[in-house]
């Protein structure tokens, strides 16, 4: 696995070969509070960078989810359908949301590294 990259919308992405695993950051999970529902209806869709791919609902609010890298959604974390609290418990491992077959590696240039992300939060 490579180093994570981050969007200004508080999503993270980690690249393994040509597959990107995507989730929301710890900062986003803590800000939202207890996650009660994750709506991911983008399986099989090809999305452009920063396009909406779903919604996440907490006891506080409903927030849109935006894909940090262009590509085709090849997998969703089915466990979140029954256990959305995984996002709060472990947003970087058990709480990942989707996996994308990457269309354009250059999209990574539009994302932040961990130091840059820390500065905006």
């Amino acid at each position: 696995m490579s180093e994570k990259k981050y969007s200004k919308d508080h999503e993270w992405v980690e690249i393994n070969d040509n597959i990107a695993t995507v989730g929301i950051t710890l900062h986003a999970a803590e800000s939202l509070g207890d996650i009660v529902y994750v709506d991911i209806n983008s399986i099989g869709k090809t999305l452009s960078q920063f396009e909406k791919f779903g919604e996440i609902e907490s006891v506080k609010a409903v927030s849109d989810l935006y894909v940090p890298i262009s590509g085709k959604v090849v997998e969703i974390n089915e466990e979140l359908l029954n256990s959305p609290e995984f996002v709060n418990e472990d947003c970087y491992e058990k709480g990942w949301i989707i996996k994308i077959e990457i269309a354009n590696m250059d999209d990574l240039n539009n994302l932040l590294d961990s130091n840059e992300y820390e500065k905006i939060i």
Side-chain angles (χ1 to χ4, degrees):
M1 289 275 188
S2 67
E3 177 186 339
K4 288 178 178 59
K5 293 284 214 168
Y6 304 87
S7 72
K8 291 178 181 173
D9 292 315
H10 309 288
E11 282 90 16
W12 59 266
V13 61
E14 191 168 54
I15 309 300
N16 189 356
D17 295 323
N18 196 40
I19 301 295
T21 302
V22 175
I24 65 168
T25 65
L26 180 60
H27 173 78
E30 289 174 346
S31 297
L32 285 168
D34 293 336
I35 306 296
V36 295
Y37 183 68
V38 181
D39 180 16
I40 320 160
N41 57 2
S42 52
I43 190 76
K45 291 184 181 174
T46 300
L47 302 170
S48 298
Q49 188 174 36
F50 306 128
E51 187 175 345
K52 179 180 171 180
F53 73 86
E55 293 178 340
I56 193 162
E57 183 177 342
S58 72
V59 293
K60 294 181 182 178
V62 176
S63 299
D64 291 336
L65 296 166
Y66 300 97
V67 67
I69 193 164
S70 301
K72 181 179 180 180
V73 179
V74 293
E75 187 178 347
I76 64 170
N77 187 346
E78 300 274 349
E79 291 187 25
L80 295 183
L81 302 176
N82 295 321
S83 302
E85 67 275 6
F86 286 173
V87 175
N88 294 109
E89 292 170 9
D90 188 1
C91 64
Y92 297 111
E93 296 295 330
K94 284 193 324 189
W96 64 272
I97 300 174
I98 61 172
K99 292 190 179 187
I100 296 171
E101 187 176 345
I102 301 167
N104 186 357
M105 283 289 195
D106 289 341
D107 286 352
L108 291 172
N109 297 329
N110 300 324
L111 299 175
L112 309 169
D113 65 25
S114 58
N115 290 332
E116 293 167 324
Y117 181 71
E118 285 293 321
K119 289 176 186 171
I120 70 162
I121 60 171

